[in-house]
Amino acid sequence: MKHSFLVAGAALSMLAPISSSHAEERVLEVTGVVDILMVPYEVPEQGELTFTALITEDTAVPVIDEDTPFGDYGYYDAVKQVSIEVVDNTEQLVFSDTFVFPLTSIDDEEYGPNEGAISLFMPDAVTSDWIQPNATWYGAKVNDSQTSISLRVVALGLSPLLSLINDGGDPYMPEIDYQQDYPLFASLIPFPTLKEGSLVYPFTYAVSDELSENEEPEFSIGVYGIATNLRYLDVDADGDGVVDSEDACAISLLDEQVTLKGQLLTVENVVDGNGCSVMDHYAACEATQGEGGFLAYSGASYCEQQVAYQLYREGLIDYSDVRALRNALR
């Protein structure tokens, strides 16, 4: 597997693993038309195939602005996950794949716990050797067997990395005309952002699994086609129904029913318009009360006493719920 290790290994020797404690996730949705679908099974003819790919990024990671084996700069550990679904013209699922990216590793021990692992986003507006804007999301990780590696390469535009892996051969070239001078990036700082909206641009989702050390990285599975639309989706990381940009409680307590002072109540743990559940409100009161130190009042605080009335005024609970919450505080 000399090429996959060449690509991963050369980069891994250049930096320590990067992980951000202030992750800022976003999801890029790429939709388009399939030109070539490579799968190990026969696909019934059902007209045009279309794809939807999702790329989850961490935009808080720092740029590596020194030369890398792949270009002038990149973002290690910026890719969290990629996935794709291909459907026919009856909306029947034809192919799907999901790949969770590992944290980059520089463990030199052969087939160590995270040896060979890499997560990398490479944005290229224009380079001296590659004049078309392109973006590549690359990941590799050791499989559970500890004897092989899986790779994923997702690319918009003609990717230099795919050319490198393919021994300098041309990446996927679409047969139809596309916008070679399309301004792919809306901005490059502080973290590269693609231009949302319609486009006609090459797209690649290449899959290579179960590669042993001496194998060439052949992408026997993949989706090759034309991206026709890009957009960033609203992310709801804690699953409370309120997108992160509007969520006052980033990690909500989402038990179905309220537990208060160790008591499981029949009160539904509803979420308000700010993304905070009933239990979140009480947890906030406890956090504030705990700041009082050793001499802090140990009974129900004024904050806790007011939560039920506030939620009642907002129409989120009824008066029987108010009574149940008040009784639990006694």
Coordinates of all heavy atoms in Angstrom, one line a residue, residues 260-293:
L260 N -36.0 15.7 38.9 CA -35.7 16.9 39.7 C -35.5 16.4 41.2 O -36.3 15.8 41.8 CB -36.9 17.9 39.6 CG -36.7 19.2 40.3 CD1 -35.4 19.9 39.8 CD2 -37.9 20.1 40.2
K261 N -34.3 16.9 41.7 CA -33.9 16.5 43.1 C -34.0 15.0 43.3 O -34.5 14.5 44.3 CB -34.8 17.2 44.1 CG -34.8 18.7 44.0 CD -33.5 19.3 44.3 CE -33.5 20.8 44.3 NZ -32.2 21.4 44.5
G262 N -33.6 14.2 42.3 CA -33.6 12.8 42.4 C -34.9 12.1 42.2 O -35.0 10.9 42.3
Q263 N -35.9 12.9 41.8 CA -37.3 12.3 41.7 C -37.7 12.3 40.2 O -37.6 13.4 39.5 CB -38.3 13.1 42.5 CG -38.0 13.2 43.9 CD -39.0 14.1 44.6 OE1 -40.2 13.9 44.6 NE2 -38.5 15.2 45.3
L264 N -38.1 11.2 39.7 CA -38.6 11.1 38.3 C -40.1 11.5 38.3 O -40.9 10.8 38.9 CB -38.5 9.7 37.7 CG -39.0 9.4 36.3 CD1 -38.2 10.3 35.3 CD2 -38.9 8.0 35.9
L265 N -40.4 12.6 37.6 CA -41.7 13.1 37.6 C -42.5 12.7 36.3 O -41.9 12.2 35.4 CB -41.7 14.6 37.7 CG -40.8 15.2 38.9 CD1 -40.8 16.7 38.8 CD2 -41.3 14.7 40.2
T266 N -43.8 13.0 36.3 CA -44.6 12.7 35.1 C -44.6 14.0 34.2 O -45.3 14.0 33.2 CB -46.0 12.4 35.5 OG1 -46.6 13.5 36.3 CG2 -46.1 11.1 36.3
V267 N -43.8 15.0 34.5 CA -43.7 16.2 33.7 C -42.9 16.0 32.5 O -41.7 15.5 32.6 CB -43.1 17.4 34.6 CG1 -43.0 18.6 33.7 CG2 -44.0 17.6 35.8
E268 N -43.4 16.3 31.3 CA -42.7 16.2 30.1 C -41.5 17.2 30.0 O -41.7 18.3 30.3 CB -43.6 16.4 28.9 CG -42.9 16.1 27.5 CD -43.8 16.3 26.3 OE1 -45.0 16.6 26.6 OE2 -43.3 16.3 25.2
N269 N -40.3 16.7 29.7 CA -39.1 17.5 29.6 C -39.1 18.3 28.3 O -38.2 18.0 27.4 CB -37.9 16.6 29.8 CG -36.6 17.5 30.0 OD1 -36.6 18.6 30.5 ND2 -35.5 16.9 29.4
V270 N -40.0 19.3 28.2 CA -40.1 20.0 26.9 C -38.9 20.9 26.7 O -38.2 21.3 27.6 CB -41.4 20.8 26.8 CG1 -42.6 19.8 26.8 CG2 -41.5 21.8 28.0
V271 N -38.7 21.3 25.4 CA -37.7 22.2 25.1 C -38.3 23.5 24.6 O -39.2 23.6 23.8 CB -36.8 21.7 23.9 CG1 -35.7 22.6 23.5 CG2 -36.1 20.3 24.4
D272 N -37.7 24.7 25.1 CA -38.3 26.0 24.7 C -37.7 26.4 23.4 O -36.8 25.8 22.8 CB -38.1 27.0 25.8 CG -36.7 27.3 26.1 OD1 -35.8 27.0 25.3 OD2 -36.4 27.8 27.2
G273 N -38.1 27.6 23.0 CA -37.6 28.1 21.7 C -36.2 28.5 21.6 O -35.6 28.7 20.5
N274 N -35.5 28.6 22.8 CA -34.1 28.9 22.9 C -33.2 27.6 22.9 O -32.0 27.7 23.1 CB -33.8 29.8 24.1 CG -34.4 31.1 24.0 OD1 -34.4 31.7 22.9 ND2 -35.0 31.6 25.1
G275 N -33.9 26.4 22.8 CA -33.1 25.2 22.9 C -32.8 24.7 24.3 O -31.9 23.9 24.4
C276 N -33.5 25.1 25.3 CA -33.3 24.7 26.7 C -34.5 23.9 27.2 O -35.6 24.3 27.1 CB -33.1 25.9 27.6 SG -31.6 26.9 27.1
S277 N -34.2 22.7 27.7 CA -35.2 21.9 28.2 C -35.6 22.3 29.6 O -34.9 23.1 30.3 CB -34.8 20.4 28.2 OG -33.7 20.2 29.2
V278 N -36.7 21.7 30.2 CA -37.0 22.0 31.6 C -35.9 21.7 32.5 O -35.5 22.4 33.4 CB -38.3 21.2 32.0 CG1 -38.6 21.4 33.5 CG2 -39.5 21.5 31.1
M279 N -35.2 20.5 32.3 CA -34.1 20.1 33.1 C -32.9 21.0 32.9 O -32.2 21.3 33.9 CB -33.7 18.7 32.8 CG -34.8 17.7 33.3 SD -34.4 15.9 32.8 CE -32.9 15.6 33.8
D280 N -32.7 21.6 31.7 CA -31.7 22.6 31.5 C -31.9 23.8 32.4 O -30.9 24.3 33.0 CB -31.6 23.0 30.1 CG -31.1 21.9 29.1 OD1 -30.4 21.0 29.6 OD2 -31.5 22.0 27.9
H281 N -33.1 24.2 32.5 CA -33.4 25.4 33.3 C -33.0 25.2 34.8 O -32.4 26.0 35.5 CB -34.8 25.8 33.2 CG -35.2 26.5 31.9 ND1 -34.9 27.9 31.7 CD2 -35.8 26.1 30.8 CE1 -35.3 28.2 30.5 NE2 -35.8 27.1 29.9
Y282 N -33.4 24.0 35.3 CA -33.1 23.7 36.7 C -31.6 23.5 36.9 O -31.0 23.9 37.9 CB -33.9 22.5 37.2 CG -35.3 22.8 37.5 CD1 -36.3 22.4 36.6 CD2 -35.6 23.5 38.6 CE1 -37.6 22.7 36.9 CE2 -37.0 23.8 38.9 CZ -38.0 23.4 38.1 OH -39.3 23.7 38.3
A283 N -30.9 22.9 35.9 CA -29.5 22.7 36.0 C -28.7 24.0 36.0 O -27.7 24.2 36.7 CB -29.0 21.9 34.8
A284 N -29.2 25.0 35.3 CA -28.6 26.3 35.3 C -28.8 27.0 36.7 O -27.9 27.7 37.1 CB -29.3 27.2 34.2
C285 N -29.9 26.8 37.3 CA -30.1 27.3 38.6 C -29.1 26.7 39.6 O -28.6 27.3 40.5 CB -31.5 27.1 39.1 SG -32.8 28.0 38.2
E286 N -29.0 25.4 39.5 CA -28.1 24.7 40.4 C -26.6 25.1 40.3 O -25.9 25.3 41.2 CB -28.2 23.1 40.2 CG -29.5 22.5 40.6 CD -29.6 21.1 40.3 OE1 -28.6 20.5 39.8 OE2 -30.6 20.4 40.6
A287 N -26.3 25.4 39.0 CA -24.9 25.9 38.7 C -24.7 27.2 39.4 O -23.6 27.5 40.0 CB -24.7 25.9 37.2
T288 N -25.7 28.1 39.3 CA -25.6 29.4 39.9 C -25.6 29.3 41.4 O -24.8 30.0 42.1 CB -26.8 30.3 39.4 OG1 -26.8 30.4 38.0 CG2 -26.7 31.7 40.0
Q289 N -26.4 28.5 41.9 CA -26.5 28.3 43.4 C -25.2 27.8 43.9 O -24.7 28.2 45.0 CB -27.6 27.4 43.7 CG -27.9 27.2 45.2 CD -29.0 26.3 45.6 OE1 -29.6 25.7 44.6 NE2 -29.3 26.1 46.8
G290 N -24.5 26.9 43.2 CA -23.3 26.3 43.6 C -22.1 27.2 43.7 O -21.1 26.9 44.3
E291 N -22.3 28.4 43.1 CA -21.2 29.4 43.1 C -21.1 30.1 44.5 O -20.2 30.8 44.7 CB -21.4 30.4 42.0 CG -21.3 29.8 40.6 CD -21.6 30.8 39.6 OE1 -22.1 32.0 39.9 OE2 -21.5 30.5 38.4
G292 N -22.1 29.8 45.4 CA -22.1 30.5 46.7 C -21.1 29.9 47.7 O -20.9 30.5 48.7
G293 N -20.5 28.8 47.4 CA -19.4 28.2 48.2 C -20.0 27.5 49.4 O -21.2 27.1 49.5

